[in-house]
Amino acid sequence: MNDYVAQASIRSTVEPATPAWMAVFSLAMGVFGLLTAEYLPASLLTPMAMDLGVSEALAGQAVTVTAVVALFAGLLVPGLTRGIDRRVVLLGFSTLMIASNLLVAFSSSLAVLLLMRILLGVALGGFWSMAAAVAMRLVPAALLPRALSIIFSGIAVGTVVAVPLGSYLGDVYGWRSAFVAAAAVGVVTLAFQLFTLPSLPPTGSARLRTVLDVLLRPGIAIGMFACVLVHTAHFALFTYIRPFLESTTGVQTQGLALMLLGFGAANFVGTLLAGWLLVRHPRGTLVLMPVLVGVAALALVLLPATLPGQALLLALWGMAFGGVPVAWSNWVARAVPDQAESAGGMVVASVQSAIAAGAAGGGVMFSVSGIGGVFLGAGVLMLLAALLIALRVHVPRNGTVGVPLHL
């Protein structure tokens, strides 16, 4: 009981009396800038590879390097910066984003380009690990779900904008211009954060050892396992969405682009909707999102394939998954309020690992049972994850400070 009181004391010392909404929007801009920069190579592989004299497979490692570095940065950066004002750290991430994009734009070889993408990985992983913890210090507890939904709406916008923006700029002005534009977004973000983020002196003692300590707390390991299952199933599905749609309905490139645009728009709506739902039903939201994705995945396989029907199911999937980052960040903030940065680092590592596991597992299923097997297997996995969350994952009520250290 003393531990529970201690956590409440920690929470009350950092919770503001009034919300700093402009600072929250500046973090959403940071999310948008980081996601846009992360996804840009996906739409520019061919011109990048031709210009640098390498294969498209090698050029694609620009995405891999960023993801791997982000995984480790999420675990290490909170501890390495534990004595620094969080405002300064966040401004540093935006500066790294600008530097990475500019240096990539002017890189003369693949080796230089990959080194510069490491900078982006550090910023990406570090930002994700701190997002929920910083949000806790910008708004009162009752408004945390809404703040998180605003911050993570940048994911949906970045997902929708990055690929078409990169493709357009690459076709018209060359692939390097897309990274210059991403750097410009970073400059605007840095200026906005500079004027809106308040001073955020460090309050915890995050270390790498702290991550293990947090993982060993009652209920945390099972929650992180459920988080991994949800993201693994999603990325198994999303990695193979194009061949699935092409093989079932024969959709052409333009139609595919419109369907993916609908997915992204629905994802944005789902992100905002999750903030409203989490205030009222935090556990129900955490369970409902994977249920809807699982149902959509199974319906895509089992129902007759028509373009309108698949577009609607894709939109349902996008809307449901839009709430997943918000819901899990809210869970971390509620379940581990005294070490939210370390717990956030675990979420980053879990998601990055799930990206690799989902793509690899989906590839195995694809080779064994075809594209339909991927969607059936991932859909069932998503429903099993929802069942695990419903039965085993403790979800603190909004307004509470989380799980006591010793039950």
Side-chain angles (χ1 to χ4, degrees), residues 270-302:
T271 302
L272 299 180
L273 180 62
W276 180 83
L277 289 173
L278 283 166
V279 173
R280 292 156 179 80
H281 307 289
R283 171 180 288 279
T285 304
L286 210 59
V287 174
L288 177 64
M289 300 302 179
V291 167
L292 292 178
V293 176
V295 169
L298 294 178
L300 282 166
V301 178
L302 300 175

Side-chain angles (χ1 to χ4, degrees), residues 316-371:
L316 174 64
W317 168 11
M319 182 185 69
F321 193 77
V324 169
V326 183
W328 283 106
S329 295
N330 184 68
W331 178 78
V332 163
R334 303 294 185 187
V336 197
D338 59 319
Q339 292 294 346
E341 288 185 6
S342 294
M346 285 194 305
V347 173
V348 173
S350 298
V351 172
Q352 296 298 331
S353 301
I355 292 173
V364 172
M365 289 293 293
F366 198 171
S367 63
V368 172
S369 57
I371 193 65

Side-chain angles (χ1 to χ4, degrees), residues 235-257:
F235 286 109
L237 292 167
F238 196 71
T239 301
Y240 298 97
I241 183 61
R242 179 167 183 165
F244 176 83
L245 294 174
E246 289 176 338
S247 65
T248 53
T249 61
V251 63
Q252 300 302 308
T253 303
Q254 185 175 4
L256 180 66

